[in-house]
Amino acid sequence: MNEFEDLLNSVSEVNPGDVVTAEVLTVDNGQANLVISGTGIEGVLTLRELTNDRDADINDLVKPGESHEVLVLRQVVGKDTDTVTYLVSKKRLEARKAWDKLVGREGEVVTVKVTRAVKGGLSVEFEGLRGFIPASMIDTRFVRNTEKFVGEEFDAKIKEVDPAENRFILSRRDVVEETAAAARAEVFGKIAEGSVVTGTVARLTNFGAFVDLGGVDGLIHITELSHERNASPKSVVSVGDEVEVKVLSIDEEEGRVSLSLKATTPGPWDGVEQKLAAGDVVEGKVKRLTDFGAFVEVLPGIDGLVHISQISHKRVENPKDVLSAGQDVTVKVLEVNSADERVSLSIKALEERPAAAEGEENTEKRQSRPRRQKREQKRDFELPETQTGFSMADLFGDIEL
């Protein structure tokens, strides 16, 4: 009787909310059966109260003979017997400890794991505690596909902790922005206008290409992509390409950098004097027509102008009446001006002048000579002393007064 009374006195009372130590007796049917140390009272630990990973194998997490600290949830009475057991949780105890650790840590950056994508954001886990990242706090840009983050681990800043409301809000965007700001400061400290830097093509638009310089995106405007006129961005570069670009301008306050790709590549006008000279006869293709002439490509990237007066010996009212875009023509080089990037060309210089045109020219010459002689006679009459050397005495010396 004395031994029995001692046994009864050794059994402690167990209440929901208590934190106790329990030894695993058996593991079967997806749950662990335990005995609460110092009481002889049995407890049940299910997989759901052990981990948030529903695909986990409970046999990998607990084994017979192990002791675990658990939280007592509620009393469970057997259906067929009067046996009383308690449902316990290891997961909730870890969550309680995590809540205690989180209080007052707003603004701190922690590493979280994304467990699933939910409506309006991401569900994450931190030290056994479930947190939430709203969609607006995932990145600096709107994220349409949140599923891609599931299973990832990344840093996030704690925004709000409220254990009473079970509220734990974090922001990944804050970390991304701070990291980007530090990277921008580092990049702006290294680059300067006129310098040549290396970057990676990040994205293409219809007006140019954005290049990641290591934390700062610089823009290559479509006019600075290639020496070729009207080249589309996708015909020059692709996303992921590593390129060398020249820095044209920097606006650190606005975070803008203007870049040029064509400034780092040889242009068609470089060394043009060795390729083209006045007097050369070359083949070309009419690229475009204007009211004042035709532009003919004589070398890759070099268009020369055939002025309307150099198209034909005959009068040309409009270049479109004689030439068409895409037409192959033979031209003579009249002048090469590499400084101004201009080439003057002529088509009529390679054609024989029509006889009628020669007759007209002779007529013009004959008509022009009398006019010049008449002007010269007029000048002789107006300025006799200067033109002939005569004096008034020479003219009137024999007249008696």
Side-chain angles (χ1 to χ4, degrees), residues 283-353:
E283 299 294 323
K285 186 182 291 292
V286 178
K287 302 294 287 187
R288 62 190 189 281
L289 298 168
T290 68
D291 292 340
F292 55 85
F295 285 93
V296 177
E297 185 179 46
V298 291
L299 288 172
I302 295 182
D303 293 351
L305 173 64
V306 180
H307 190 267
I308 191 171
S309 63
Q310 292 295 326
I311 293 177
S312 174
H313 290 289
K314 297 179 181 179
R315 181 177 179 81
V316 177
E317 296 292 339
N318 192 314
K320 294 180 181 178
D321 298 337
V322 182
L323 302 170
S324 58
Q327 180 180 344
D328 293 326
V329 293
T330 303
V331 293
K332 182 176 182 179
V333 180
L334 301 181
E335 180 187 8
V336 178
N337 187 336
S338 60
D340 295 332
E341 297 187 352
R342 290 189 311 201
V343 174
S344 298
L345 306 171
S346 176
I347 295 176
K348 78 175 187 179
L350 299 176
E351 298 176 348
E352 186 176 352
R353 184 185 299 275

Side-chain angles (χ1 to χ4, degrees), residues 163-224:
E165 297 293 332
N166 199 32
R167 187 176 176 84
F168 179 28
I169 307 297
L170 304 100
S171 172
R172 177 179 177 270
R173 184 189 65 193
D174 285 10
V175 176
V176 172
E177 288 177 340
E178 290 174 4
T179 303
R184 282 196 299 270
E186 183 177 356
V187 171
F188 281 121
K190 292 180 179 178
I191 63 175
E193 291 186 9
S195 62
V196 176
V197 296
T198 301
T200 303
V201 178
R203 61 188 188 281
L204 303 178
T205 69
N206 58 355
F207 56 84
F210 285 92
V211 176
D212 182 6
L213 301 177
V216 174
D217 281 356
L219 172 64
I220 307 175
H221 192 265
I222 189 170
T223 57
E224 293 296 333

Side-chain angles (χ1 to χ4, degrees), residues 85-279:
T85 59
Y86 285 86
L87 180 64
V88 298
S89 175
K90 183 177 179 66
K91 181 182 71 175
R92 299 194 194 191
L93 177 60
E94 292 175 346
R96 177 189 287 184
K97 292 179 179 179
W99 278 113
D100 292 339
K101 292 179 181 179
L102 281 178
V103 174
R105 293 175 65 180
E106 287 84 353
E108 186 176 332
V109 176
V110 296
T111 301
V112 298
K113 182 177 182 179
V114 180
T115 55
R116 59 193 178 116
V118 296
K119 184 178 180 180
L122 297 173
S123 179
V124 299
E125 184 177 336
F126 171 66
E127 295 184 358
L129 189 64
R130 183 176 298 172
F132 179 64
I133 300 179
S136 61
M137 296 185 182
I138 296 176
D139 207 340
T140 53
R141 299 185 180 93
F142 176 72
V143 177
R144 190 176 301 276
N145 179 23
T146 56
E147 291 285 348
K148 66 181 181 179
F149 291 98
V150 176
E152 285 190 12
E153 290 188 356
F154 52 68
D155 289 342
K157 179 178 286 189
I158 299 174
K159 302 292 289 185
E160 184 179 349
V161 177
D162 188 348
E165 297 293 332
N166 199 32
R167 187 176 176 84
F168 179 28
I169 307 297
L170 304 100
S171 172
R172 177 179 177 270
R173 184 189 65 193
D174 285 10
V175 176
V176 172
E177 288 177 340
E178 290 174 4
T179 303
R184 282 196 299 270
E186 183 177 356
V187 171
F188 281 121
K190 292 180 179 178
I191 63 175
E193 291 186 9
S195 62
V196 176
V197 296
T198 301
T200 303
V201 178
R203 61 188 188 281
L204 303 178
T205 69
N206 58 355
F207 56 84
F210 285 92
V211 176
D212 182 6
L213 301 177
V216 174
D217 281 356
L219 172 64
I220 307 175
H221 192 265
I222 189 170
T223 57
E224 293 296 333
L225 275 170
S226 171
H227 294 286
E228 182 181 350
R229 291 186 179 93
N230 302 320
S232 64
K234 65 181 180 180
S235 69
V236 182
V237 293
S238 301
V239 173
D241 286 353
E242 187 174 279
V243 292
E244 273 196 345
V245 289
K246 183 177 181 179
V247 180
L248 300 181
S249 64
I250 300 172
D251 187 343
E252 187 171 353
E253 185 175 340
E254 294 293 331
R256 296 176 182 171
V257 180
S258 297
L259 306 170
S260 175
L261 179 62
K262 75 177 185 180
T264 63
T265 58
W269 290 92
D270 294 343
V272 69
E273 295 88 350
Q274 284 74 46
K275 307 173 187 175
L276 208 62

